[in-house]
Amino acid sequence: MSRAHAIVFGASSGIGRATVMALKERGHVVAGLARRPSDVADASFACDVTDDASVGAAVAGAQQAHGPPDVMVYAAGVGAMGRTLDVPASAAREVFEVNFWGMDRAVRAVLPGMMERRRGAVVLVSSIAALRPIPHEAFYAASKAAAARYFGCLAFEAASAGVRVQMLHVGFIDTGFAERAGWFGMAAPAHPASSKTAGDVGVAVCALLDAGAPSAVLGWRERAIALGDRVVPNLYDRWITFRGRRR
Ligand SMILES: NC(=O)c1ccc[n+]([C@@H]2O[C@H](COP(=O)([O-])OP(=O)(O)OC[C@H]3O[C@@H](n4cnc5c(N)ncnc54)[C@H](OP(=O)(O)O)[C@@H]3O)[C@@H](O)[C@H]2O)c1
């Protein structure tokens, strides 16, 4: 992709921040949107994705600064983890408000202009939890699965207007996201060391934009799980259940 104006939601930390850096390294001009400022974007705009007016104002600000966006990356996200019935409804709703409805707000603010200009790409930073159940992540996984299905449906409509709608499914990345997520009814478990970093995700987002594929899974382990679920359904579920019983 030639020099583009990219808007990144969730640019203040972790994967979003790393994606800003990767896009800039490729020569793109990048606007970073989040409630906290982005210290790496070319321009930073305060944005709460749970608020229509805030999303509209931030996208308008980015557009004023650098022109209409060619790329939008949605990396804003929160989690409410733990024993499903111990997660308060308010925390569960907050997860959907950011991970699903915030994504919808961002799409509504950016996609119509792209479709009118018949160019652009929208990328969702998705999770392996969108593809399969993960213990103690019911609301997070449900929000990610809902967002992924929304993106899959939207991709057909956008394609007919010359716009790509793409997803990158990512496994555990040590950004502090899991620790920041609320844990209910249990302590946060120790996560195994991840072979991938936030920087790897940023590079993978750029590669996905170049490839133009509808979706990709980052990491050999995550690809093996996704493939295994198709070839031998429930095998990994049985392994998780077996492991859980031994603990
Ligand atoms: N880390 C992982 O293991 C992992 C794995 C798969 C997928 N993901 C996904 O990757 C994305 C980024 O996660 P991360 O690991 O980079 O976590 P992170 O460092 O906590 O980043 C989350 C980002 O979301 C933004 N955000 C949260 N609530 C927001 C709101 N109401 N309005 C605007 N922005 C908001 C935060 O910015 P402010 O707080 O400044 O608003 C921050 O920039 C999330 O969608 C997550 O689900 C993460």
Side-chain angles (χ1 to χ4, degrees), residues 10-16 33-36 47-50 75-78 94 98-99 125-128 140 144 170-173 175 177 180:
S12 60
S13 66
I15 290 169
L33 279 58
R35 289 168 303 180
R36 293 166 295 158
C47 176
D48 182 345
V49 298
T50 67
V78 293
E94 169 72 8
V98 175
N99 299 359
V125 177
S126 180
S127 167
I128 196 81
Y140 175 72
K144 288 296 195 183
V170 178
F172 173 66
I173 308 285
T175 60
F177 179 83
R180 267 190 296 285

Side-chain angles (χ1 to χ4, degrees), residues 8 44 77 118 127 131 136 140 157 177 204 213 223 235 239:
V8 177
S44 186
R118 299 193 65 81
S127 167
L131 304 180
H136 307 130
Y140 175 72
E157 298 164 46
F177 179 83
R223 278 198 291 276
L235 182 65
W239 161 244

Side-chain angles (χ1 to χ4, degrees), residues 27-208:
H28 303 309
V29 177
V30 189
L33 279 58
R35 289 168 303 180
R36 293 166 295 158
S38 166
D39 61 343
V40 289
D42 293 298
S44 186
F45 298 90
C47 176
D48 182 345
V49 298
T50 67
D51 183 279
D52 287 337
S54 177
V55 172
V59 170
Q63 189 149 330
Q64 217 161 28
H66 301 300
D70 309 294
V71 170
M72 186 269 263
V73 179
Y74 193 81
V78 293
M81 316 298 206
R83 298 200 181 279
T84 304
L85 302 186
D86 287 330
V87 178
S90 56
R93 289 211 171 87
E94 169 72 8
V95 168
F96 270 81
E97 204 49 58
V98 175
N99 299 359
F100 181 80
W101 291 112
M103 170 280 295
D104 175 60
R105 284 185 190 94
V107 166
R108 285 173 193 267
V110 170
L111 192 65
M114 287 184 177
M115 288 172 74
E116 213 171 283
R117 294 191 304 283
R118 299 193 65 81
R119 59 169 279 156
V122 172
V123 178
L124 174 68
V125 177
S126 180
S127 167
I128 196 81
L131 304 180
R132 69 157 0 271
I134 309 278
H136 307 130
E137 297 193 3
F139 297 105
Y140 175 72
S143 72
K144 288 296 195 183
R149 183 50 58 95
Y150 170 115
F151 253 57
C153 295
L154 186 64
F156 294 118
E157 298 164 46
S160 63
V163 177
R164 279 183 277 121
V165 170
Q166 304 170 276
M167 283 176 273
L168 180 67
H169 304 291
V170 178
F172 173 66
I173 308 285
D174 191 4
T175 60
F177 179 83
E179 291 78 9
R180 267 190 296 285
W183 284 85
F184 299 92
M186 62 184 286
H191 279 89
S194 174
S195 62
K196 298 289 176 193
T197 64
D200 294 328
V201 182
V203 170
V205 167
C206 293
L208 185 64

